[in-house]
Amino acid sequence: MFAKSHLALALVLGCAGPAFAHSGLAAKKYLNLPLGAIKPSGWLLDQLNVQMSGLWGHEHEFYHYVSQTDWLGGDSYYSNLEEAGSYWFNAMVPAAVLVDSAEVQSQTQYFLDFVLDNQDETGWLGPEVFNSSKPRFLWARYPYLFGAMQLVEYNNTLADRVIPAVYKFVTLANSMMKNGAGLEDWTRTRWEDFVIALQWLYDFYLNGNEDLLIETMQLLKWTGDPWEDVFATENFPTTAVENLRNPFPVLTWHGVNMAEGLKALPSTYRFTHNQSDLDRASEGWDALFQYHGRPSGIFAADEYLAGLGAIRGTELCLVVETMFSGSYLFQVSGDLKYADRVERITYNALPATLTGDMWSRQYLQEQNQIAAQNMDPNPFPNDGPYSNVFGLEPNYPCCTVNHGQGFPKFVTNSFVKTNDDASLVQVYLGPVAVHTVLAGDNTVSVDVDTLYPFSDAVNVVVSATKEFTYLVRIPSWVSGATVSVNGGATNGIQADNSGLAAIDLPAGNSTLSLNLPSEITIENRPNNSVAIHRGPLNYAFDIPRNQTVLAQNANESRAVDLQFEVTAPWQYAIDPTTLKFNAGTPQGGQLPSPIFDSGLPPLSIDATGCLIEWAVAGDTFASDPPQNPSCIGNTTTIKLIPLGATKLRISEFPVFDSANV
Ligand SMILES: *[C@@H]1O[C@H](CO)[C@@H](O)[C@H](O)[C@H]1NC(C)=O
Ligand SMILES: *[C@@H]1O[C@H](CO)[C@@H](O)[C@H](O)[C@H]1NC(C)=O
Ligand SMILES: *[C@@H]1O[C@H](CO)[C@@H](O)[C@H](O)[C@H]1NC(C)=O
Ligand SMILES: *[C@@H]1O[C@H](CO)[C@@H](O)[C@H](O)[C@H]1NC(C)=O
Ligand SMILES: *[C@@H]1O[C@H](CO)[C@@H](O)[C@H](O)[C@H]1NC(C)=O
Ligand SMILES: *[C@@H]1O[C@H](CO)[C@@H](O)[C@H](O)[C@H]1NC(C)=O
Ligand SMILES: *[C@@H]1O[C@H](CO)[C@@H](O)[C@H](O)[C@H]1NC(C)=O
Ligand SMILES: *[C@@H]1O[C@H](CO)[C@@H](O)[C@H](O)[C@H]1NC(C)=O
């Protein structure tokens, strides 16, 4: 690995010669709107408020890894800029803006300033690591750069202070890498985050630094892990990896690194202009979900890639990182398969692994999860027994300080512009409001009023000073989409090959009433089992549970570790020919707050089920779904609800034929 990267590096620098040659950056297909241009509304605003009233919005007040006292004096790997503060800052910048919290915005401003004020004369973004025997590693600065970029987009006047400081850091990093410094195994896997920050500088604050930026991107890529090989189909692991040998650096098959690494090839494409980089990214994405995917939209890795078994774990950090990477992949490539999946992850896997009030989170979630408790034995070869408890910092603290980016970045990526600046694209369906200025001084406001994904109806009010083309993603699972413009006739919507529908709108106000219905679909899962979907939502049997408080933080009584145990039978097989969708009627047209907990979403699917013999494994987790099971009781109707609202669940079901019992 060392030999290989040094050789490659020599080649890059050798080719460069005295006058560094390159051909600039390829444009992204779609462009982000600056932080602040898109705000959540309706139930998504409520969800953001739940997040800010929960662990996320309070941890900086009491949690040692991100409290101010620790920035000033911590000495742990997780403290301040060595990981925790940097992760927190990246996620809190958008969260604080989206809920308009002046109090929390003053905290992110404080963190921005604190780091800049502690930049040393070499350019290192400080404070210096407190354990001075530890070498300087670059990675943990990258989430800080993401946070700073978002703040500058929100408030351009900060650029005068931030951009020169970041350039000083880039110059230092460039020379560190040329001297073989700044890199360790984690930094080598996560180089793409820095590349993306450099590309943001290139796009918005180039200031004559083209050579420095492109050369630094190349240094990062060629000293980093070879994602183009990791994601090639012929190298991609098709089973859980604990008994396989990784031909590449071992951390590439680590779930969070892979979730972040999904951005490596699209960001590489921008400076190589090599279409194969995008093709590899697409191929790798497909293989990842084919061999490790979950009906909740995400993939499984309980540290390392975990295959298809329904009781293997998915780490919360990889959930939020995959969402962010999927948004980026869509923006660079224009392929809506990334957007479809991000929407599914957001509405299923993310809420499933948090309590409804967002005060407790898991480290690992399971698709079939019959307990959340200390597990001995546990089904996760590389994680501890406490991994699926809902709590403050089960197994590792990283997700406590990183999970907060999930919902905010979903919102900030929910609309983009075409790269000619002329059109707006509604990418994720959910209630948000947008205000921006398009090409030709076209001032546009959009209000999306919807309960989606808890309803098929999406009402959009657009007001624009000039006529323009409005684009909206029609998800791949929708059949029979219709639109009525300004209350006129309801017409079928045709999406183009990419999945976008184009609607030409005049200057002034327009209303679009979209209806996006879909059929129930049945996904075949391992062991002859099935998973049930309708629209973006995966449906699960919500196992009745009771709760035991395992621990309570001494300084914040709401930060609790919770054990959930089942209080009713869960061993159901279903007959997939009997499924019936109930749209429900939200009370007063509103969803309850919070929405993601038992009994709260209005939607459900009825299924004919029966109890079967289905053993537990190791007392606390289910064995594989039994194949061709026999009913041991009468058939009955069981209700399946959106998986995000279940905390204990069965969602990969054995099947039986109710006509033959
Ligand atoms: C400082 O870092 C070094 C290298 O990572 C490590 O071996 C040592 O235990 C650390 N010391 C303290 C006090 O954390
Ligand atoms: C933007 O940043 C400037 C400089 O730090 C500050 O004075 C101003 O209050 C900020 N504006 C907003 C809207 O946050
Ligand atoms: C383009 O990328 C592919 C895979 O990422 C790589 O194998 C190939 O060598 C690259 N081509 C060039 C001209 O760099
Ligand atoms: C069930 O499926 C999993 C995942 O493919 C597989 O590892 C396991 O061996 C299967 N179990 C049985 C009993 O076939
Ligand atoms: C257009 O809609 C905006 C709100 O989005 C409203 O303030 C304005 O009055 C409307 N204009 C017309 C002509 O209806
Ligand atoms: C509670 O806060 C005190 C004072 O800041 C601190 O010393 C202590 O470590 C904290 N305890 C916990 C469990 O966080
Ligand atoms: C929860 O239910 C289990 C039985 O399923 C029981 O053993 C346990 O005592 C209950 N715990 C509480 C707190 O009610
Ligand atoms: C099964 O259904 C039959 C007929 O409705 C009923 O008599 C019997 O009590 C039921 N058995 C159970 C275990 O519910």
Side-chain angles (χ1 to χ4, degrees):
M1 168 188 158
F2 276 86
K4 183 176 182 241
S5 10
H6 281 251
L7 175 64
L9 179 57
L11 284 174
V12 168
L13 298 176
C15 289
F20 184 69
H22 57 80
S23 45
L25 285 189
K28 292 166 72 181
K29 181 114 194 198
Y30 297 106
L31 307 179
N32 286 96
L33 299 176
L35 175 62
I38 309 169
K39 291 290 189 71
S41 60
W43 81 263
L44 258 181
L45 174 59
D46 184 71
Q47 189 63 33
L48 267 288
N49 283 328
V50 168
Q51 174 169 332
M52 292 300 272
S53 304
L55 175 59
W56 182 257
H58 289 286
E59 63 187 57
H60 63 276
E61 297 162 1
F62 74 96
Y63 185 51
H64 59 122
Y65 286 128
V66 290
S67 66
Q68 274 184 26
T69 47
D70 207 60
W71 309 345
L72 299 167
D75 191 23
S76 133
Y77 181 75
Y78 288 100
S79 69
N80 59 72
L81 280 183
E82 290 308 281
E83 176 169 308
S86 200
Y87 263 150
W88 174 87
F89 180 63
N90 167 40
M92 189 55 107
V93 167
V97 167
L98 296 189
V99 301
D100 282 321
S101 168
E103 187 269 324
V104 185
Q105 285 179 48
S106 75
Q107 298 286 320
T108 55
Q109 183 69 44
Y110 181 92
F111 191 86
L112 178 85
D113 291 339
F114 177 72
V115 172
L116 297 181
D117 289 345
N118 282 284
Q119 184 168 38
D120 72 12
E121 65 286 354
T122 70
W124 188 247
L125 286 168
E128 187 53 274
V129 289
F130 292 100
N131 174 352
S132 55
S133 67
K134 208 153 88 182
R136 289 173 164 181
F137 294 135
L138 291 168
W139 170 72
R141 269 67 188 162
Y142 306 162
Y144 174 80
L145 296 178
F146 281 171
M149 286 154 53
Q150 294 173 88
L151 268 184
V152 170
E153 289 188 358
Y154 179 61
N155 183 350
N156 293 321
T157 62
L158 296 170
D160 291 346
R161 178 157 154 70
V162 172
I163 302 302
V166 172
Y167 268 117
K168 258 179 100 174
F169 177 73
V170 173
T171 305
L172 171 69
N174 178 290
S175 69
M176 283 169 71
M177 282 187 283
K178 282 179 180 163
N179 296 324
L183 305 171
E184 45 70 80
D185 291 349
W186 294 80
T187 310
R188 285 179 196 273
T189 75
R190 296 179 174 184
W191 51 267
E192 64 281 341
D193 285 6
F194 198 11
V195 168
I196 287 170
L198 298 171
Q199 294 180 347
W200 179 86
L201 286 171
Y202 190 104
D203 291 339
F204 298 105
Y205 296 95
L206 186 53
N207 306 348
N209 291 297
E210 192 161 359
D211 288 356
L212 170 70
L213 292 175
I214 302 265
E215 188 192 54
T216 310
M217 290 175 211
Q218 303 213 356
L219 282 163
L220 283 160
K221 189 207 162 10
W222 292 109
T223 55
D225 289 344
W227 290 106
E228 66 280 15
D229 298 328
V230 176
F231 282 125
T233 309
E234 64 271 24
N235 298 326
F236 205 83
T238 60
T239 62
V241 299
E242 56 270 12
N243 298 316
L244 304 181
R245 200 194 135 267
N246 188 339
F248 309 108
V250 66
L251 286 177
T252 55
W253 285 354
H254 178 267
V256 185
N257 292 336
M258 185 158 267
E260 296 187 14
L262 290 166
K263 299 190 294 301
L265 293 171
S267 64
T268 301
Y269 161 77
R270 291 201 65 200
F271 63 86
T272 61
H273 305 259
N274 180 352
Q275 177 63 34
S276 300
D277 288 325
L278 286 185
D279 296 344
R280 280 289 164 81
S282 169
E283 190 180 313
W285 175 271
D286 292 346
L288 176 59
F289 293 102
Q290 178 179 354
Y291 299 115
H292 307 275
R294 289 291 175 273
S296 65
I298 195 61
F299 64 92
D302 31 34
E303 288 325 293
Y304 294 93
L305 290 175
L308 293 172
I311 42 85
R312 292 296 293 268
T314 292
E315 182 183 337
L316 172 53
C317 286
L318 83 80
V319 174
V320 295
E321 293 291 353
T322 303
M323 289 165 57
F324 181 58
S325 293
S327 290
Y328 179 76
L329 274 157
F330 163 67
Q331 288 160 17
V332 174
S333 71
D335 189 337
L336 283 168
K337 77 177 173 188
Y338 302 116
D340 276 356
R341 190 172 284 282
V342 171
E343 197 177 279
R344 287 174 56 203
I345 296 170
T346 307
Y347 292 150
N348 297 289
L350 178 58
T353 200
L354 296 156
T355 52
D357 66 5
M358 292 190 78
W359 265 105
S360 303
R361 59 94 180 157
Q362 291 178 296
Y363 185 71
L364 299 178
Q365 65 179 295
E366 302 161 276
Q367 189 79 33
N368 281 351
Q369 180 165 284
I370 63 163
Q373 67 178 87
N374 200 51
M375 291 182 161
D376 186 16
N378 76 57
F380 321 119
N382 289 295
D383 277 311
Y386 212 65
S387 295
N388 91 338
V389 165
F390 285 79
L392 171 63
E393 51 176 11
N395 209 50
Y396 289 112
C398 53
C399 303
T400 305
V401 295
N402 190 21
H403 77 278
Q405 68 168 293
F407 285 112
K409 291 201 177 180
F410 177 72
V411 171
T412 59
N413 287 291
S414 64
F415 270 78
V416 293
K417 303 185 284 192
T418 50
N419 64 17
D420 60 4
D421 250 12
S423 297
L424 208 52
V425 186
Q426 185 177 357
V427 182
Y428 302 131
L429 301 168
V432 299
V434 185
H435 187 77
T436 193
V437 180
L438 298 178
D441 266 339
N442 185 13
T443 301
V444 178
S445 301
V446 180
D447 256 304
V448 184
D449 177 14
T450 183
L451 301 182
Y452 185 96
F454 303 103
S455 159
D456 299 339
V458 178
N459 295 311
V460 186
V461 179
V462 184
S463 94
T465 52
K466 307 269 171 67
E467 62 178 17
F468 79 115
T469 302
Y470 186 81
L471 296 158
V472 55
R473 162 178 153 267
I474 306 299
S476 58
W477 50 75
V478 168
S479 57
T482 61
V483 64
S484 153
V485 180
N486 294 329
T490 299
N491 296 311
I493 300 192
Q494 287 311 318
D496 67 10
N497 287 339
S498 77
L500 289 179
I503 302 169
D504 292 325
L505 296 178
N509 289 1
S510 310
T511 63
L512 310 176
S513 304
L514 297 160
N515 189 36
L516 303 173
S518 49
E519 304 293 330
I520 292 174
T521 57
I522 296 164
E523 177 187 359
N524 291 320
R525 297 295 302 171
N527 317 119
N528 262 343
S529 69
V530 294
I532 309 302
H533 305 267
R534 183 187 177 280
L537 298 178
N538 175 211
Y539 284 77
F541 175 63
D542 184 27
I543 310 173
R545 66 181 193 263
N546 67 18
Q547 166 177 319
T548 306
V549 176
L550 299 174
Q552 188 163 35
N553 182 272
N555 294 332
E556 173 47 86
S557 61
R558 292 170 293 185
V560 284
D561 288 3
L562 300 175
Q563 165 174 301
F564 295 139
E565 290 171 90
V566 299
T567 56
W570 51 268
Q571 298 89 340
Y572 284 103
I574 62 170
D575 179 343
T577 65
T578 62
L579 306 173
K580 216 172 90 249
F581 175 67
N582 313 302
T585 317
Q587 290 267 314
Q590 299 256 319
L591 298 172
S593 168
I595 177 69
F596 289 111
D597 208 341
S598 299
L600 300 177
L603 314 176
S604 62
I605 289 177
D606 286 338
T608 299
C610 73
L611 285 171
I612 60 167
E613 302 279 1
W614 187 348
V616 289
D619 296 341
T620 50
F621 49 99
S623 58
D624 292 331
Q627 308 190 28
N628 308 313
S630 306
C631 294
I632 57 170
N634 290 342
T635 60
T636 178
T637 300
I638 63 170
K639 186 169 151 180
L640 312 184
I641 68 165
L643 173 125
T646 68
K647 308 307 155 188
L648 299 182
R649 67 185 73 92
I650 295 297
S651 47
E652 295 191 20
F653 294 95
V655 297
F656 79 109
D657 177 357
S658 57
N660 279 313
V661 282

